[in-house]
Amino acid sequence: MDPGSFENIRRAVKEQHFKDRKVEALKSSLSCAYGYLSGEQVALLIAEFTFDDAKSDALDACAPRIYSITCSQAASILRAFDFKDRRMKAMEAISPHITDNDLSALDSAFKFPDEKRRAKEILMNRRQPGFPPQPGPCPGAGFPGAGFPAPGFPGMPTPQPGAYPPPVPGGSPYPGSAPFGGMGNPYAYPGPGVGPPPYPTGTAPPPPPDGGLGAVVHGVTLKIYLNLLHFLSPCIRMKASVTALVMFMLFMDFSKVASVWDLRNVNVPPSHIPYFLRKKAGKMGLCSNGACQDGENMPCWGYEDDCNPLNQFSKPHCIHLHQSWAKTMEDQVQLFWEQGDFGYIKKMKSQVMELCQPKELGDSSLTCTANLWYCHATNIYFDLKNFNPDATNDRFREDVLKEGEVGGHCHFKKDLHKNQNENKSPLQSWFAELEHYTSLSVKPLQAGLCDVIVNRPTVFMKLDAGINLYHHFCDFVNLYVTQHMNGSLSTDINILMWDTSSLTYRDLFSETWKAFTQHRIIRLSEYAGKRVCFKDAVFSFNPRMIRGLYYNMPLVPSCVGSGLFKAFSEHMLHRLGVIQDNHREDEFRITLLDRSTKYRRILNRDELVGAMMNVPMFKVNIVDYTWKIPFLEQLKITHNSDIFIGIHGAGLAHALFLPDWAVLFELYNTEDPACYSDLARLRGVNYITWEHNEKLYQEDEGHHPTLGAHAKFTNYAFNVDEFMWLVYKAADAVKESRHKLLNSTLSSILNEGSTSKSRDEL
């Protein structure tokens, strides 16, 4: 806590002369102050009380506001107590906040051996607290350090400090806190290159049992295997898939790998490699010792025909059953998986039909899903001699190609093709572009019909708004899905933008394309006046498909964690070179997304930021993601945020690139509750938003250009106390997620070691 705020509290206590009044003054002052108390500050406050019972009451008031003290600092607090039972009670109160295990420093506070033994037991078995909400300045008191009252807004209720509810047994004493919370594992490594703290005598854990971490797998110890894991991926982000990769590599015949497959050229996150190699490995003879013979036991995305669900990339989970969507929880999980996970690709693969069948070598082909949402064509012919991109500003004309101007030499199922027109629309299907597909009498490439022959595989795309992150990333998500459908993530491809105009396409996120192609983006207008043949063409899923990803997407409530969106995020960050920086686990990196737009600005932004910056563990960064900040720099900031805060707007689509443990805090959803909560659920990160509308101030009714009053077309101010309560709630969620991810990682490693031992014994 800053010195000024602390002295105000201490002065309030000093001014009272009776024990009960002193304790009440302490509680009241603490409820009106921001920040945490250091060990020294707690010791000074306790010194203001004369008797042990009053000191105990004072410590009880201070304990929820203590954060990260050492054993030495704890000893200075404990020495203030004269009686043994009060010292032990004090030890129990402050033990959850002690971050080291220096028993020698702690022993100095105790006089008798039995006290020291009991203190050691308390320290070794201490629980971990959550993060308390900071009530903030009392009404009219002003911001800490300021000489003026806090600004008020019409209709905004005055915050009232109050007592927190009692904790549940074994839980955090703070509202909205996570079950783990607190300062983290006292035995955790504090950072790269730093060893763990020494265990106090008699407290070191026992060595692993025989066959545990020392087990041998085909002559390679799991100790080396764990080192490989550490090399491949930071611990907090490791998955069982990385484990699978290492095990796969242990069995692989590398003499064949060297000549056929260079893992460095795969250019996917290390944890994704096993999923791409499962099919290729067997075909190329890369495996020995039976490692590839049992396909059901190899990693899979989930859409493969022989994929064992136990080995799929990930599985979502649902919190509550919604019987209007599904009869059972299992059905609900399956529905979510099919709506927004790799099950979506499996469903699309099941719909693929052959519309034009080749009969001999060199023929054309056309296969599509229902409604021509996605198509794959070979040796396809386009006659664009009559195409004039300057004729209109319509980007998605439907009359560019006429009968005989698109087709191939193959057996064409015309009636089946004609029935796929249900979703004919510019950004929903390819029916308009392929409506006049014709079976040609000759092979176009061999017959000399083509002015231009494109040999490189080409992906056709119709793009949404390039100036809007939310909409443009619908393009990129669907391109990633298309690559999975096509079975290749190669960047040696063309991407052709199907735009029937010559208008400039403004793309604020153009750096993203290098994750998909090493070549420039081609415009359809470049082929105007020519007959063009493509040897291999893929027509991508469109960004505004009915029940598509992720615009126009119905999503079952209460379900979280799409493996598809997680894989997309990891894939993009890997290829764009965005990494997670080293950071302290006892700090929270908060990014507040500001807006320089006319509407949806935060009127009391500085007040909210000041409140957060007054908390030592909050590292606050204010950003305004405009074109002035390169997009890759934006991604780096976002990916290194634990809590990402912003009012409703396209910038919140940055949730796609938050780390797994992060929280998206949509400050206010402006009466559009599903948009970014759904995106956060798909990405698998925590989501919170404003809960009490009576505690926000709306500047006016809003001024939509045509619809009149509208919540998205005005500005807002927010109650500081409520805001800080939600920030602390977000911090607790981050802490809980970090613990879960770490425990999951360790469990995966240990389970894999156990499984490997069992296989060896067999």
Side-chain angles (χ1 to χ4, degrees):
M1 185 176 294
D2 68 275
S5 298
F6 174 72
E7 285 305 320
N8 287 338
I9 295 172
R10 193 178 180 190
R11 188 183 309 114
V13 175
K14 277 180 175 289
E15 289 174 353
Q16 302 299 324
H17 302 289
F18 297 100
K19 179 192 77 171
D20 292 343
R21 293 285 182 87
K22 280 180 173 284
V23 173
E24 285 303 316
L26 176 60
K27 291 180 179 179
S28 177
S29 300
L30 281 171
S31 70
C32 297
Y34 286 107
Y36 283 94
L37 294 168
S38 68
E40 291 82 358
Q41 289 173 336
V42 174
L44 288 171
L45 288 173
I46 292 175
E48 298 296 332
F49 296 84
T50 305
F51 302 106
D52 270 15
D53 60 340
K55 291 177 182 178
S56 291
D57 292 341
L59 183 59
D60 288 343
C62 292
R65 302 293 289 274
I66 301 173
Y67 184 74
S68 296
I69 62 173
T70 65
C71 282
S72 178
Q73 292 169 328
S76 67
I77 297 172
L78 296 170
R79 280 193 288 269
F81 293 88
D82 297 317
F83 295 98
K84 173 181 173 181
D85 59 336
R86 295 291 184 180
R87 273 196 300 274
M88 300 317 302
K89 182 180 177 183
M91 178 64 191
E92 291 175 347
I94 65 176
S95 64
H97 309 283
I98 299 175
T99 58
D100 65 352
N101 298 301
D102 188 357
L103 288 179
S104 60
L106 197 61
D107 282 351
S108 64
F110 299 99
K111 301 176 182 178
F112 307 105
D114 61 328
E115 281 188 283
K116 295 179 181 180
R117 284 195 300 271
R118 177 60 185 146
K120 176 181 174 181
E121 291 174 3
I122 293 172
L123 184 65
M124 292 303 105
N125 294 293
R126 62 192 183 272
R127 65 177 178 84
Q128 299 172 348
F131 295 107
Q134 301 287 303
C138 288
F143 191 77
F148 49 86
F153 297 95
M156 180 180 287
T158 303
Q160 298 294 329
Y164 303 129
V168 296
S172 167
Y174 314 115
S177 64
F180 294 93
M183 81 299 181
N185 183 355
Y187 298 117
Y189 286 72
V194 182
Y199 290 101
T201 304
T203 64
D210 292 340
L213 295 182
V216 177
V217 181
H218 285 268
V220 181
T221 66
L222 280 177
K223 183 177 180 181
I224 298 175
Y225 152 57
L226 291 176
N227 287 335
L228 281 170
L229 286 175
H230 179 73
F231 171 77
L232 286 172
S233 182
C235 180
I236 194 66
R237 292 183 292 158
M238 282 195 303
K239 290 176 47 58
S241 54
V242 185
T243 306
L245 166 62
V246 178
M247 298 307 297
F248 182 83
M249 293 169 68
L250 293 179
F251 287 102
M252 192 176 285
D253 184 345
F254 281 95
S255 64
K256 296 178 181 177
V257 174
S259 61
V260 183
W261 188 270
D262 187 349
L263 292 179
R264 293 171 300 178
N265 293 332
V266 176
N267 195 19
V268 295
S271 60
H272 293 194
I273 292 176
Y275 300 90
F276 290 105
L277 292 189
R278 73 187 302 270
K279 293 290 186 184
K280 295 181 181 292
K283 292 179 181 179
M284 296 188 296
L286 298 182
C287 304
S288 61
N289 300 319
C292 301
Q293 291 176 6
D294 187 1
E296 289 191 357
N297 287 323
M298 294 189 68
C300 48
W301 296 110
Y303 54 73
E304 302 90 340
D305 291 337
D306 60 347
C307 177
N308 184 337
L310 296 176
N311 297 323
Q312 70 185 41
F313 183 75
S314 69
K315 188 173 183 179
H317 68 277
C318 299
I319 302 167
H320 304 293
L321 175 63
H322 293 264
Q323 292 188 331
S324 60
W325 289 79
K327 293 182 179 179
T328 67
M329 189 67 84
E330 291 75 16
D331 291 342
Q332 188 167 308
V333 171
Q334 180 68 18
L335 178 58
F336 179 86
W337 188 67
E338 292 176 355
Q339 288 175 333
D341 206 332
F342 282 112
Y344 178 86
I345 298 176
K346 187 177 183 70
K347 183 172 62 176
M348 288 298 175
K349 280 181 170 289
S350 70
Q351 298 178 12
V352 171
M353 63 190 82
E354 198 167 36
L355 296 179
C356 204
Q357 183 178 2
K359 291 186 174 181
E360 56 186 65
L361 189 65
D363 269 1
S364 306
S365 67
L366 178 66
T367 57
C368 299
T369 64
N371 299 307
L372 275 60
W373 290 321
Y374 159 94
C375 292
H376 182 201
T378 60
N379 299 328
I380 188 171
Y381 166 79
F382 289 98
D383 184 350
L384 298 172
K385 295 185 74 172
N386 297 318
F387 168 48
N388 179 10
D390 297 320
T392 175
N393 289 336
D394 187 350
R395 292 188 184 274
F396 305 110
R397 287 168 51 194
E398 297 184 354
D399 61 350
V400 170
L401 298 170
K402 300 177 177 59
E403 194 76 26
E405 293 183 341
V406 56
H409 186 264
C410 46
H411 175 63
F412 184 47
K413 302 174 183 178
K414 190 171 183 178
D415 291 339
L416 180 61
H417 171 266
K418 188 182 296 184
N419 291 334
Q420 309 308 315
N421 66 346
E422 183 178 341
N423 292 142
K424 180 181 178 181
S425 184
L427 290 175
Q428 293 186 4
S429 84
W430 290 97
F431 189 83
E433 291 73 24
L434 298 175
E435 182 176 7
H436 299 295
Y437 190 96
T438 305
S439 180
L440 304 177
S441 59
V442 296
K443 298 177 182 179
L445 278 73
Q446 290 86 336
L449 298 184
C450 316
D451 300 321
V452 178
I453 296 177
V454 181
N455 293 301
R456 184 180 294 127
T458 301
V459 178
F460 290 73
M461 296 185 70
K462 291 185 285 189
L463 300 180
D464 209 328
I467 61 173
N468 183 291
L469 182 72
Y470 179 88
H471 288 294
H472 200 12
F473 265 80
C474 283
D475 298 321
F476 294 124
V477 167
N478 280 284
L479 177 54
Y480 181 69
V481 171
T482 297
Q483 290 184 314
H484 274 276
M485 278 287 290
N486 194 42
S488 172
L489 286 175
S490 171
T491 57
D492 189 16
I493 62 171
N494 291 329
I495 292 179
L496 189 149
M497 178 180 170
W498 191 281
D499 185 339
T500 57
S501 75
S502 58
L503 296 174
T504 299
Y505 181 79
R506 191 178 176 204
D507 190 344
L508 297 183
F509 315 102
S510 57
E511 298 100 320
T512 309
W513 290 113
K514 71 179 183 180
F516 296 100
T517 180
Q518 55 193 272
H519 307 288
R520 67 179 183 85
I521 306 301
I522 301 170
R523 294 286 297 263
L524 182 65
S525 58
E526 295 180 37
Y527 294 124
K530 301 174 183 177
R531 297 175 300 174
V532 189
C533 295
F534 295 87
K535 285 189 173 181
D536 191 351
V538 170
F539 296 81
S540 176
F541 287 106
N542 282 288
R544 298 203 181 195
M545 291 168 50
I546 301 296
R547 296 177 295 278
L549 295 171
Y550 41 84
Y551 188 87
N552 280 335
M553 179 184 196
L555 195 63
V556 60
S558 295
C559 298
V560 181
S562 163
L564 172 59
F565 277 76
K566 176 179 173 60
F568 169 77
S569 178
E570 293 173 348
H571 178 79
M572 297 294 292
L573 293 169
H574 174 82
R575 286 199 168 176
L576 296 175
V578 178
I579 61 174
Q580 183 68 216
D581 293 338
N582 292 328
H583 58 278
R584 291 178 52 176
E585 294 298 309
D586 61 347
E587 291 182 347
F588 297 87
R589 301 163 298 173
I590 300 177
T591 297
L592 177 67
L593 183 60
D594 200 12
R595 291 174 66 95
S596 53
T597 53
K598 184 177 181 180
Y599 299 118
R600 277 174 276 162
R601 288 181 289 110
I602 304 170
L603 298 175
N604 61 333
R605 183 203 68 179
D606 292 345
E607 189 179 15
L608 302 183
V609 170
M612 290 189 292
M613 293 183 71
N614 206 44
V615 180
M617 66 179 178
F618 292 163
K619 305 304 175 185
V620 184
N621 185 24
I622 307 169
V623 297
D624 185 2
Y625 283 162
T626 67
W627 59 270
K628 296 179 182 179
I629 302 178
F631 183 57
L632 293 186
E633 186 176 334
Q634 294 181 26
L635 288 184
K636 180 175 176 60
I637 294 170
T638 299
H639 189 54
N640 284 279
S641 302
D642 302 314
I643 302 172
F644 193 86
I645 305 174
I647 204 165
H648 183 91
L652 295 189
H654 272 272
L656 291 168
F657 302 105
L658 289 170
D660 291 345
W661 57 83
V663 172
L664 175 65
F665 179 4
E666 184 175 15
L667 193 49
Y668 182 48
N669 60 37
T670 61
E671 301 175 10
D672 185 0
C675 184
Y676 294 104
S677 63
D678 282 357
L679 199 60
R681 288 198 292 126
L682 287 167
R683 173 58 189 90
V685 297
N686 293 288
Y687 171 88
I688 62 174
T689 189
W690 200 258
E691 298 178 5
H692 300 289
N693 287 358
E694 70 275 9
K695 293 186 179 182
L696 63 81
Y697 163 72
Q698 185 171 325
E699 188 176 44
D700 53 37
E701 63 180 4
H703 306 283
H704 189 278
T706 58
L707 300 178
H710 199 291
K712 292 184 180 180
F713 292 83
T714 186
N715 301 305
Y716 296 88
F718 299 87
N719 179 288
V720 178
D721 294 344
E722 181 72 9
F723 171 77
M724 289 301 294
W725 187 85
L726 290 168
V727 173
Y728 278 105
K729 182 178 180 180
D732 274 329
V734 169
K735 177 68 75 173
E736 179 183 7
S737 295
R738 283 173 174 168
H739 276 275
K740 285 182 177 178
L741 285 167
L742 183 58
N743 290 338
S744 175
T745 297
L746 295 175
S747 176
S748 296
I749 294 173
L750 294 174
N751 288 340
E752 188 64 45
S754 174
T755 302
S756 299
K757 177 176 182 286
S758 299
R759 288 175 181 169
D760 271 0
E761 289 173 344
L762 292 174

